[in-house]
Amino acid sequence: MSKSLVVDMVAEVNYPHDKMEGLWVIDDQRLGVLNDDDFATWSTEGQLEQKMLDANTVDGGRLFIIEADLSTD
C-alpha cells in the first residue's frame, strides 16, 4: 500500500477547522470533505458559548467539494 498527497485543504480552500469529520471519494475528479463543528459550541471556564472561527464566523458544519486528480493510473 502506498499513499500520496491528493490535496492540501489549507492551501486549496483555506480550511479553517480543527479537523475533518468526513472524507469520501465522489468520483475520480472530486473529493468531498465535511468539517467537525462540535455542534458549533465551545466551553470556556465551564460556560457554554458559540464556537467561532474568527470574530464574525460561526464554526458550523460545512461541505467542501474539491477538484482533484483521484485516478489510480
Side-chain angles (χ1 to χ4, degrees), residues 6-7 12 27-31 64-70:
V6 174
V7 63
E12 186 72 25
D27 56 30
D28 64 355
Q29 297 177 345
R30 293 177 295 163
L31 183 67
F64 297 85
I65 304 294
I66 308 302
E67 297 290 327
D69 181 9
L70 303 171

Side-chain angles (χ1 to χ4, degrees), residues 6-55:
V6 174
V7 63
D8 178 338
M9 288 295 291
V10 174
E12 186 72 25
V13 296
N14 196 26
Y15 194 76
H17 307 286
D18 297 334
K19 54 194 175 280
M20 296 176 195
E21 182 69 18
L23 176 67
W24 73 98
V25 175
I26 297 169
D27 56 30
D28 64 355
Q29 297 177 345
R30 293 177 295 163
L31 183 67
V33 177
L34 288 169
N35 73 290
D36 182 348
D37 64 6
D38 296 323
F39 304 105
T41 60
W42 197 259
S43 176
T44 302
E45 298 179 7
Q47 295 295 314
L48 189 62
E49 59 189 30
Q50 183 73 61
K51 187 176 180 188
M52 305 295 285
L53 295 175
D54 58 40

